[in-house]
Amino acid sequence: MAPPRRSASPPAPHTTRTGWLSRYRRPARNRSGGECAAVDPLAAMPDDLLYDAIFSRVFSDAAAVARCAGVCRRWSRVVAAREAAISRALPPPNDNEFLPHLALGFFHGGSHDDGSHRRRRLLAPAAQQPDPCFVPTASGSALLGSLSPRLPVGGGAAGLFHYARPVASRRGRVVLELLSKARADGIALAVCNPMTGDVAVLPPLAGDDYPGHDYTCAVLTADDLDGDAPPGFFSLVLVYNRRGFTALRCYASGAAGRWGPEARKPGAQISGHVLRGLGPAVVLRRVAYWPIIDAAALAARLNFAGGGAAVVDDVRVLPYRLRTSIPDWNLLGTTPDGKLSYVSAAVVGDDLGFLVETLEPAGGVSTAAGGVWATADDIVLTQFTMSTTTELKLRWLGERSGTLLFTVGRRGGGGNSGAFALNLGTRSVEKLADGVECNSWRNMFGYEMDSTALLASITARFNSTDDKRTAG
């Protein structure tokens, strides 16, 4: 039986600070001929009416949004003010259509940052407490420029993310454990959107609520709830061990703003060693998946009924077809058309290969009889000379961008060592960081901006280009 719970203090409110996109935010300037001289007949129409009568009827995809925002400053402002609503209204991408430009890079917590020496690190001098690092892709560098290496904090929150470690990242959100705010017997988590600068600090888990230093985390957003949640909504799911069993617990933002009751995984407890080594979580139709062993994944279905509190109402184990028994050579993910995917690395001759399998879950949480794994694709990278002793780790798979992050260490790899991004759609490889130390990085999570931030960046870049034309 789970220990009694102490009442948690209310969460800190959502606060908006300087985000990566703020560099593009400039006040509109009037030009000769008015703000939108090309559409004089519509100049007197209020913004809300302009959007309802025209814009909402022509937004068939993101490209149409970009064309509309590029007409003039006023139209760009109308689009930018309704980015969240437009994002929810746009149709999903075509089947198997990845969006590579959504992947901006990855966060990591440094070498051997797995939480196992958490108590000692909490007492370490400030000079020895590293901040989370961000490594951008080429497209991320082009968009973010010099802002990319730092999280968007300022003012009184300058030290909020000091000595923090990333524990999850998905759909524009990054979840960080705030070690500077935690005690030895508790954890403090924050959810932030680096693109917009939105930050939410969750109620701490301490005392009887303390889950221990070995846990894993999944994040859900409003997109996972099919329009049933307000913009900016998110939910977290924690998996951790109690005495003799593995437990799960949820947090939901919004009016509830609290941790839900504890659920129990059926069957045997997940060992602490396995729990520490769990890869990034995958979310599909309100179900979170973690690969717990080489042949199965833990699946937890969430329910948001009952006053907005999030609860785990079903926990099962999902078997999948074994492809490799080498640790770190397999990863769960999703495809754009809504299927669970399984990526495994392999040695193909002397080259590095990846095999991608997919499964359509039946009834939310899938079981062994809930679907059939089928080989969807295989990719061979001849630029990597490999063997079974190569130090290789699959790190993260972007569900919208199709970007697979992996690191290669000293042994093997044909002289290639560092962090790499492989796009499963284009099959192109980009080297993001060099050096054998990349393979020892822990808490490594890729970062994809969400669709709302994508629209914001589109309209912002049109505004920036328009400013340059006006100045010229």
Side-chain angles (χ1 to χ4, degrees), residues 316-346:
R316 303 185 191 179
V317 173
L318 166 68
Y320 46 77
R321 190 162 57 189
L322 178 65
R323 281 297 169 184
T324 177
S325 59
I326 302 177
D328 302 317
W329 281 38
N330 51 75
L331 199 63
L332 282 178
T334 61
T335 61
D337 55 345
K339 295 180 181 178
L340 194 66
S341 65
Y342 176 73
V343 180
S344 56

Side-chain angles (χ1 to χ4, degrees), residues 36-45:
C36 201
V39 286
D40 276 341
L42 305 178
M45 184 179 291

Side-chain angles (χ1 to χ4, degrees), residues 2 62 158 228 235 245 368 372 403 427 431 435 448:
D228 296 337
S235 178
F245 67 94
V372 177
T403 299
R427 304 195 176 196
K431 191 170 190 177
E448 290 179 335

Side-chain angles (χ1 to χ4, degrees), residues 178-250:
L178 306 178
L179 298 177
S180 61
K181 286 184 169 292
R183 303 195 310 271
D185 63 343
I187 64 171
L189 300 174
V191 179
C192 70
N193 186 332
M195 294 298 293
T196 63
D198 292 337
V199 178
V201 179
L202 276 57
L205 292 170
D208 293 337
D209 288 325
Y210 177 45
H213 57 258
D214 294 333
Y215 67 91
T216 187
C217 178
V219 57
L220 285 78
T221 67
D223 293 336
D224 297 309
L225 274 60
D226 300 323
D228 296 337
F233 170 87
F234 66 87
S235 178
L236 296 188
V237 189
L238 292 187
V239 181
Y240 52 93
N241 280 337
R242 292 294 187 194
R243 185 182 297 274
F245 67 94
T246 296
L248 299 92
R249 199 175 185 189
C250 301

